Structure formats: structure tokens, C-alpha cells
Amino acid sequence: MGTFITCAVTGGADTVSRHPRIPVTPREIADAAISAAKAGAAIVHLHARDPKTGQQSRDPELFAEIVSLIRDSDTDVIVNVSCGMAGDLVLTETPEKQLAGPGTDLLGPIERLQHLDRLCRDPKLKPEICTLDCGSMNFGDGDLVYLAPGTYLRPMAKHIRSLGIKPELEVFELGHLAFVKKMFAEGLLEGAPLIQFCLGIPGGAPAEPFVLDAFKQLAPAEATWSAFAIGRDELRFVPLAVGQGGNVRVGLEDNLYLDKGVFADNDTLVERAVGLIRGMGGSVLSASETRQKLGLEKPRG
């Protein structure tokens, strides 16, 4: 049926100091998304950044500006908005005095979706997809923990469903995939699942072929899945995922280099992924074909 490509154009990590062309402003992020779409990405995965600091932002108006610029362009692309913010707990070295240290960014489950509510007030801005990170995990071996317990995920899944947005279920560990199945069994999720296998993140499942196979074996049989790995493994995992019957994600959120010592751009990473897929004899799906595959409706307005 072909492979769709998602481009994660900027992310929220502190990569601005490590790459000369990380998209920061709404205009830069939208332009990067449009360029990625023209290069072959059917889906763009969006974070917002503070234009002054370059750091990740939860500001709903920044998301609205980014999506508006994309939708006003002549480029047809599926919008996938991140909902992975406001779960960061940075532990202090003296927890007996205070558990949460500087850098902590925590909100309740529905508060984490404020930007979705803002986007859905305007039919033109409503995203077709949003992410739902399906479990807590350590990020690295330091003091950062991402918190997404079941008591948060259940109301988040319900709220996303009430907005009529398809969740992309992000799984970083096999236990996260088990909770995906539990949410379906409880009726919190409906329809054919869209699952993203996230590999190689420090603290999560390693970027190894046998891990990809394990994720695939444990995913619901009716699921459509995509996979990505970070850093130097990003492009290596494109043919691995396609060979297993999956879809792929590339972009500057996950990897800064096209080749050793050569900085990438979002469109060049998408172009490389397109070449790898076609080199295997596969085909790359357009946004329209991907909507049909995922059962999505094109936005109105």
C-alpha cells in the first residue's frame, strides 16, 4: 500500500545551539513543514518554540500561528501536533526538602491539551492528528523524568476523542504498548490504532532491529504503525521499518545530520528517506493517500 513519511520539524529539545538552522519562529517552523511536505512528507509533526529564547513553548497562540501559516500555503500536508509537553519532572538532589527542581514543567492532564482546544475553535486550524505519549519514563540517566501515568492518560485520551482528533500513540517501551492495548480494552480509544515506535531515546527502548520486531509483534494486528530512531540511527531505521511493513519518521527533532559532519535540513532528510524507500522498490504515499489509509478527513475552512 505504500509508505507514508512523517517529518518532525523542530522538537522541543535544546538543539538550537547545536545546529545553525533549527526552526524557531512560527514562520520558520511553518516554512520547514511546507518544505518537508514538498519533499515528500505526508505528515508534519509540530512543536512550538519561544521566538525569543528558542526553547520549547506551550503557548496556544504560537501553535495557532504555525498551523495557520501551513494551512494558508498551497501545500497539502497532514498536521500532527505534539501533546508531549508539561510532563517534565526534574528531581532535586535533596528530595527531603523539595522534590521538583528548576526546569520542572508539569500540568494536569487536560491542561496539557490547552493548545488543542485553541486550535479546534477554528475549523481551519484543527489538526488531523495529535500525539499521546503512552507512559512515564526516565529521560537519560540524570534527573529528568517524563510523567504520563494512567490517571493522566485516560482523561487525555477521552478529551482527544471528544475533539475528533486521531491520536498517534507514542510508545517508548514495551510497557507503553501494553497500556495502549489496555486503553482500547477499556473503550478509551476507538478505531484502528496509529502507533509510533520511538527507539533509541536514552532511558527508553534501544534502537535495535530485534526491538523493532518485538514492538511490531506486540502491537494490535489492526494497527498502522510508524517507527523512528534518533541520531545516527534515524536514516538506518528507514529501510528497517519499511522492510517490516511500517511507515517512517525523520526530521530535525530526532537527528541533526544528513551525513557525518554535514548538517541536515528537514527537506533533505525527507528526500533521503524518499530515496531509501524507492530504492527498496517501495512507493511514498501523498497526504491524500495517507488520509485515506488512516481514515482522516481533510480539514475544512
Side-chain angles (χ1 to χ4, degrees), residues 4-286:
F4 63 76
I5 299 172
T6 297
C7 183
V9 300
T10 191
D14 187 16
T15 51
V16 173
S17 63
R18 296 165 48 205
H19 188 293
R21 297 184 298 279
I22 295 294
V24 171
T25 68
R27 178 80 264 178
E28 290 170 348
I29 295 169
D31 284 348
I34 293 164
S35 294
K38 290 181 177 179
I43 303 172
V44 288
H45 172 63
L46 303 175
H47 288 251
R49 289 183 181 266
D50 185 319
K52 295 180 179 178
T53 67
Q55 298 302 305
Q56 178 169 251
S57 174
R58 294 185 274 100
D59 185 344
E61 295 307 319
L62 290 175
F63 278 95
E65 186 175 355
I66 293 165
V67 177
S68 180
L69 288 166
I70 294 170
R71 293 271 166 81
D72 284 341
S73 73
D74 61 354
T75 305
D76 182 27
V77 67
I78 297 167
V79 170
N80 175 343
V81 173
S82 174
C83 293
M85 302 83 71
D88 293 346
L89 171 62
V90 181
L91 298 169
T92 65
E93 295 181 359
T94 54
E96 67 277 2
K97 296 181 180 179
Q98 182 182 357
L99 185 65
T104 294
D105 181 28
L106 286 173
L107 288 176
I110 303 306
E111 289 75 16
R112 296 186 188 190
L113 305 177
Q114 296 175 63
H115 58 308
L116 289 188
D117 291 332
R118 166 64 181 89
L119 294 172
C120 288
R121 292 206 302 265
D122 184 341
K124 184 185 81 170
L125 303 183
K126 180 180 175 180
E128 294 104 312
I129 301 172
C130 71
T131 61
L132 182 63
D133 295 344
C134 290
S136 303
M137 64 177 287
N138 292 336
F139 262 80
D141 57 0
D143 53 11
L144 174 60
V145 181
Y146 180 77
L147 296 180
T151 52
Y152 276 46
L153 290 172
R154 289 182 174 93
M156 290 177 75
K158 287 182 180 178
H159 193 69
I160 291 168
R161 187 177 66 184
S162 75
L163 294 173
I165 300 172
K166 189 174 186 68
E168 181 184 77
L169 306 164
E170 311 284 291
V171 295
F172 298 80
E173 288 281 18
L174 291 178
H176 297 175
L177 193 52
F179 195 75
V180 165
K181 291 182 174 181
K182 187 173 181 62
M183 286 194 288
F184 272 99
E186 294 176 2
L188 298 167
L189 301 170
E190 58 187 7
L194 171 60
I195 305 177
Q196 183 76 260
F197 302 157
C198 312
L199 305 178
I201 291 84
E208 297 291 347
F210 72 89
V211 176
L212 177 63
D213 183 64
F215 272 78
K216 178 189 174 184
Q217 294 300 323
L218 287 174
E222 68 275 19
T224 297
W225 62 269
S226 174
F228 74 90
I230 67 168
R232 69 184 66 184
D233 291 315
E234 181 182 72
L235 292 170
R236 181 172 74 94
F237 260 72
V238 169
L240 289 173
V242 174
Q244 292 265 36
N247 303 281
V248 300
R249 169 172 138 173
V250 295
L252 292 182
E253 175 172 351
D254 307 317
N255 165 45
L256 303 180
Y257 293 92
L258 187 66
D259 293 299
K260 186 175 182 180
V262 179
F263 284 118
D265 289 294
N266 287 291
D267 55 352
T268 59
L269 288 168
V270 173
E271 288 169 357
R272 181 67 63 85
V274 168
L276 289 168
I277 293 166
R278 289 178 176 164
M280 298 174 66
S283 61
V284 177
L285 297 180
S286 67

